[in-house]
Amino acid sequence: MKAIDDEQSLETFEDIMGEDPLLAYRFMVYTNSAALGLRTGIDSLRRGLVMMGYSSIKRWLSDQLPHASTEANMQPVREAMVMRAQLTARLLDAGIENDLRREIYLCGLLSQLDELLGEPLGTILKRLPLSERIYDATVLRTGPYTGGLQMACALETDDASAIRQLCETFEMDLEEVNRALLRVLSDLEVERK
């Protein structure tokens, strides 16, 4: 809400919303609800933001405040989900195609929603008109995003043999994987007390 009051750019606002997986999911469910009566499905945060406009978004956000989780124990979970999304996007270089990069990021961001919502991931994702590539990678473990998503998941563990196996399976260069991980880690903002 502060970003709207400060008249931040759409890109900045999209980045802020993309840092909270549950809020991003709720926003996409809302933008695709019958209440808005849109003729086409909203398949990205950017499209939802453009379709709603800042005043509608601000009203929706104020409605979300009572349901916002301020539980400190959830912050590491959210940050891990965002880090997986960033890593997936780095591993699957989309080049200059912004829509594709956003889609890959969303794939990584939504890949753990089942753990937060306590429902099967396939059920959760079917509520949204997302690209089949996202569903295939997260639920079926197939398609063009699978290698990057599986590698991002493997990098969350300490199993080096799984990482090497994924490099071999998906023809990824281990040095490039390490560089992607280092880039994501270098972009992290660490708060010091």
Side-chain angles (χ1 to χ4, degrees):
M1 290 176 71
K2 185 176 179 338
I4 292 172
D5 291 339
D6 293 343
E7 297 179 9
Q8 295 288 327
S9 70
L10 184 64
E11 188 171 303
T12 301
F13 195 72
E14 180 183 20
D15 291 343
I16 292 168
M17 188 165 285
E19 291 176 4
D20 189 328
L22 201 50
L23 184 66
Y25 169 73
R26 287 179 179 157
F27 176 73
M28 290 191 66
V29 168
Y30 176 72
T31 58
N32 284 289
S33 69
L36 290 182
L38 299 176
R39 292 185 180 147
T40 59
I42 303 297
D43 62 351
S44 71
L45 291 174
R46 165 87 38 137
R47 285 191 183 97
L49 293 169
V50 168
M51 294 300 290
M52 283 191 63
Y54 282 146
S55 60
S56 297
I57 294 168
K58 189 169 183 176
R59 276 193 306 275
W60 179 79
L61 284 170
S62 65
D63 291 343
Q64 298 306 302
L65 280 175
H67 309 291
S69 174
T70 56
E71 186 178 331
N73 292 339
M74 289 305 294
Q75 189 61 26
V77 174
R78 280 191 208 97
E79 289 175 6
M81 291 173 78
V82 168
M83 200 161 117
R84 179 184 288 184
Q86 292 169 342
L87 192 51
T88 302
R90 289 266 187 192
L91 289 165
L92 297 172
D93 183 21
I96 60 170
E97 181 60 45
N98 287 330
D99 287 342
L100 188 57
R101 187 178 10 264
R102 287 184 194 105
E103 184 176 288
I104 293 169
Y105 181 88
L106 200 56
C107 178
L109 187 69
L110 301 178
S111 68
Q112 290 177 289
L113 273 180
D114 54 332
E115 294 178 26
L116 287 178
L117 299 176
E119 295 180 65
L121 189 58
T123 303
I124 294 167
L125 296 182
K126 284 292 185 184
R127 293 183 187 125
L128 302 172
L130 299 171
S131 159
E132 286 183 32
R133 294 180 293 261
I134 293 175
Y135 185 87
D136 290 350
T138 57
V139 177
L140 303 177
R141 298 189 184 278
T142 61
Y145 301 163
T146 303
L149 182 59
Q150 285 187 17
M151 182 60 78
C153 294
L155 290 168
E156 295 169 4
T157 71
D158 59 357
D159 188 356
S161 64
I163 294 167
R164 280 191 297 278
Q165 181 61 47
L166 286 170
C167 281
E168 198 172 295
T169 301
F170 294 105
E171 299 177 0
M172 297 173 136
D173 180 38
L174 185 58
E175 187 174 325
E176 288 301 314
V177 169
N178 285 332
R179 282 190 183 134
L181 178 60
L182 289 173
R183 285 183 189 114
V184 168
L185 292 174
S186 70
D187 289 343
L188 291 177
E189 293 180 22
V190 179
E191 289 184 32
R192 295 177 190 226
K193 294 185 179 185

Short mmCIF file of all heavy atoms in Angstrom, two decimals, residues 16-38:
data_model
loop_
_atom_site.label_atom_id
_atom_site.label_comp_id
_atom_site.label_asym_id
_atom_site.label_seq_id
_atom_site.Cartn_x
_atom_site.Cartn_y
_atom_site.Cartn_z
N ILE A 16 7.57 -6.05 -5.58
CA ILE A 16 7.17 -6.10 -4.18
C ILE A 16 6.16 -7.22 -3.97
O ILE A 16 6.27 -8.02 -3.05
CB ILE A 16 6.58 -4.75 -3.72
CG1 ILE A 16 7.68 -3.69 -3.68
CG2 ILE A 16 5.92 -4.88 -2.35
CD1 ILE A 16 7.17 -2.26 -3.52
N MET A 17 5.16 -7.31 -4.84
CA MET A 17 4.15 -8.36 -4.70
C MET A 17 4.77 -9.74 -4.93
O MET A 17 4.38 -10.71 -4.29
CB MET A 17 2.99 -8.13 -5.65
CG MET A 17 1.86 -9.10 -5.39
SD MET A 17 0.31 -8.66 -6.16
CE MET A 17 -0.22 -7.32 -5.12
N GLY A 18 5.75 -9.82 -5.81
CA GLY A 18 6.42 -11.09 -6.09
C GLY A 18 7.31 -11.57 -4.96
O GLY A 18 7.85 -12.67 -5.02
N GLU A 19 7.47 -10.76 -3.93
CA GLU A 19 8.27 -11.17 -2.77
C GLU A 19 7.42 -11.82 -1.68
O GLU A 19 7.95 -12.20 -0.63
CB GLU A 19 9.03 -9.96 -2.21
CG GLU A 19 10.12 -9.48 -3.13
CD GLU A 19 10.82 -8.23 -2.64
OE1 GLU A 19 10.51 -7.75 -1.53
OE2 GLU A 19 11.67 -7.72 -3.38
N ASP A 20 6.13 -11.92 -1.90
CA ASP A 20 5.25 -12.60 -0.95
C ASP A 20 4.42 -13.62 -1.72
O ASP A 20 3.41 -13.26 -2.34
CB ASP A 20 4.35 -11.60 -0.23
CG ASP A 20 3.57 -12.24 0.91
OD1 ASP A 20 3.23 -13.44 0.81
OD2 ASP A 20 3.31 -11.54 1.90
N PRO A 21 4.84 -14.88 -1.72
CA PRO A 21 4.18 -15.90 -2.53
C PRO A 21 2.69 -16.04 -2.26
O PRO A 21 1.89 -16.16 -3.19
CB PRO A 21 4.91 -17.20 -2.17
CG PRO A 21 6.18 -16.77 -1.55
CD PRO A 21 5.96 -15.42 -0.96
N LEU A 22 2.30 -15.99 -1.01
CA LEU A 22 0.88 -16.16 -0.66
C LEU A 22 0.06 -14.96 -1.13
O LEU A 22 -1.03 -15.13 -1.67
CB LEU A 22 0.73 -16.36 0.85
CG LEU A 22 -0.54 -17.02 1.31
CD1 LEU A 22 -0.83 -18.30 0.55
CD2 LEU A 22 -0.47 -17.30 2.80
N LEU A 23 0.58 -13.77 -0.97
CA LEU A 23 -0.12 -12.57 -1.44
C LEU A 23 -0.23 -12.60 -2.96
O LEU A 23 -1.28 -12.28 -3.52
CB LEU A 23 0.61 -11.31 -0.98
CG LEU A 23 -0.09 -9.99 -1.32
CD1 LEU A 23 -1.40 -9.86 -0.57
CD2 LEU A 23 0.83 -8.82 -0.98
N ALA A 24 0.84 -12.99 -3.63
CA ALA A 24 0.81 -13.08 -5.10
C ALA A 24 -0.25 -14.09 -5.55
O ALA A 24 -1.02 -13.82 -6.48
CB ALA A 24 2.19 -13.48 -5.63
N TYR A 25 -0.31 -15.23 -4.88
CA TYR A 25 -1.31 -16.24 -5.22
C TYR A 25 -2.72 -15.71 -4.99
O TYR A 25 -3.59 -15.83 -5.86
CB TYR A 25 -1.07 -17.51 -4.41
CG TYR A 25 -2.21 -18.50 -4.50
CD1 TYR A 25 -2.41 -19.23 -5.67
CD2 TYR A 25 -3.08 -18.68 -3.44
CE1 TYR A 25 -3.45 -20.12 -5.78
CE2 TYR A 25 -4.13 -19.57 -3.54
CZ TYR A 25 -4.32 -20.29 -4.70
OH TYR A 25 -5.37 -21.17 -4.81
N ARG A 26 -2.95 -15.10 -3.83
CA ARG A 26 -4.29 -14.56 -3.53
C ARG A 26 -4.68 -13.48 -4.54
O ARG A 26 -5.84 -13.39 -4.93
CB ARG A 26 -4.32 -13.99 -2.12
CG ARG A 26 -4.32 -15.06 -1.05
CD ARG A 26 -4.34 -14.45 0.32
NE ARG A 26 -4.37 -15.49 1.34
CZ ARG A 26 -3.96 -15.32 2.58
NH1 ARG A 26 -3.50 -14.15 2.98
NH2 ARG A 26 -4.03 -16.32 3.44
N PHE A 27 -3.72 -12.67 -4.92
CA PHE A 27 -3.99 -11.62 -5.90
C PHE A 27 -4.41 -12.23 -7.23
O PHE A 27 -5.38 -11.79 -7.86
CB PHE A 27 -2.75 -10.73 -6.08
CG PHE A 27 -2.91 -9.67 -7.13
CD1 PHE A 27 -3.72 -8.57 -6.91
CD2 PHE A 27 -2.27 -9.78 -8.35
CE1 PHE A 27 -3.88 -7.60 -7.88
CE2 PHE A 27 -2.42 -8.82 -9.32
CZ PHE A 27 -3.23 -7.72 -9.09
N MET A 28 -3.71 -13.27 -7.66
CA MET A 28 -4.05 -13.90 -8.93
C MET A 28 -5.41 -14.61 -8.86
O MET A 28 -6.16 -14.58 -9.83
CB MET A 28 -2.94 -14.84 -9.37
CG MET A 28 -1.69 -14.06 -9.79
SD MET A 28 -0.48 -15.06 -10.61
CE MET A 28 -1.34 -15.48 -12.11
N VAL A 29 -5.72 -15.21 -7.73
CA VAL A 29 -7.04 -15.83 -7.57
C VAL A 29 -8.12 -14.75 -7.67
O VAL A 29 -9.12 -14.91 -8.36
CB VAL A 29 -7.15 -16.60 -6.23
CG1 VAL A 29 -8.59 -16.97 -5.93
CG2 VAL A 29 -6.27 -17.84 -6.26
N TYR A 30 -7.88 -13.62 -7.00
CA TYR A 30 -8.85 -12.52 -7.03
C TYR A 30 -9.02 -11.96 -8.44
O TYR A 30 -10.15 -11.73 -8.89
CB TYR A 30 -8.43 -11.41 -6.07
CG TYR A 30 -9.36 -10.22 -6.12
CD1 TYR A 30 -10.64 -10.29 -5.59
CD2 TYR A 30 -8.95 -9.03 -6.71
CE1 TYR A 30 -11.50 -9.21 -5.66
CE2 TYR A 30 -9.80 -7.95 -6.79
CZ TYR A 30 -11.07 -8.03 -6.26
OH TYR A 30 -11.91 -6.96 -6.34
N THR A 31 -7.92 -11.73 -9.13
CA THR A 31 -8.02 -11.14 -10.47
C THR A 31 -8.72 -12.08 -11.45
O THR A 31 -9.21 -11.63 -12.49
CB THR A 31 -6.65 -10.73 -11.05
OG1 THR A 31 -5.80 -11.87 -11.09
CG2 THR A 31 -6.03 -9.61 -10.24
N ASN A 32 -8.76 -13.35 -11.13
CA ASN A 32 -9.43 -14.32 -11.99
C ASN A 32 -10.80 -14.72 -11.47
O ASN A 32 -11.42 -15.65 -11.99
CB ASN A 32 -8.55 -15.56 -12.17
CG ASN A 32 -7.41 -15.29 -13.11
OD1 ASN A 32 -7.61 -15.15 -14.31
ND2 ASN A 32 -6.21 -15.17 -12.57
N SER A 33 -11.28 -14.03 -10.45
CA SER A 33 -12.58 -14.37 -9.87
C SER A 33 -13.71 -13.81 -10.73
O SER A 33 -13.54 -12.85 -11.47
CB SER A 33 -12.69 -13.83 -8.45
OG SER A 33 -12.75 -12.42 -8.46
N ALA A 34 -14.86 -14.41 -10.58
CA ALA A 34 -16.04 -13.95 -11.33
C ALA A 34 -16.44 -12.54 -10.90
O ALA A 34 -17.08 -11.82 -11.68
CB ALA A 34 -17.19 -14.92 -11.10
N ALA A 35 -16.05 -12.13 -9.71
CA ALA A 35 -16.42 -10.80 -9.21
C ALA A 35 -15.90 -9.69 -10.11
O ALA A 35 -16.54 -8.65 -10.25
CB ALA A 35 -15.88 -10.61 -7.79
N LEU A 36 -14.75 -9.89 -10.72
CA LEU A 36 -14.20 -8.86 -11.60
C LEU A 36 -14.79 -8.91 -13.00
O LEU A 36 -14.77 -7.92 -13.72
CB LEU A 36 -12.67 -8.98 -11.68
CG LEU A 36 -11.92 -8.60 -10.42
CD1 LEU A 36 -10.42 -8.71 -10.65
CD2 LEU A 36 -12.27 -7.20 -9.96
N GLY A 37 -15.29 -10.07 -13.38
CA GLY A 37 -15.95 -10.20 -14.67
C GLY A 37 -15.07 -9.95 -15.88
O GLY A 37 -15.55 -9.48 -16.91
N LEU A 38 -13.79 -10.27 -15.77
CA LEU A 38 -12.89 -10.09 -16.91
C LEU A 38 -13.14 -11.20 -17.93
O LEU A 38 -13.45 -12.33 -17.59
CB LEU A 38 -11.44 -10.11 -16.45
CG LEU A 38 -11.05 -9.01 -15.45
CD1 LEU A 38 -9.62 -9.19 -15.00
CD2 LEU A 38 -11.24 -7.64 -16.06
#
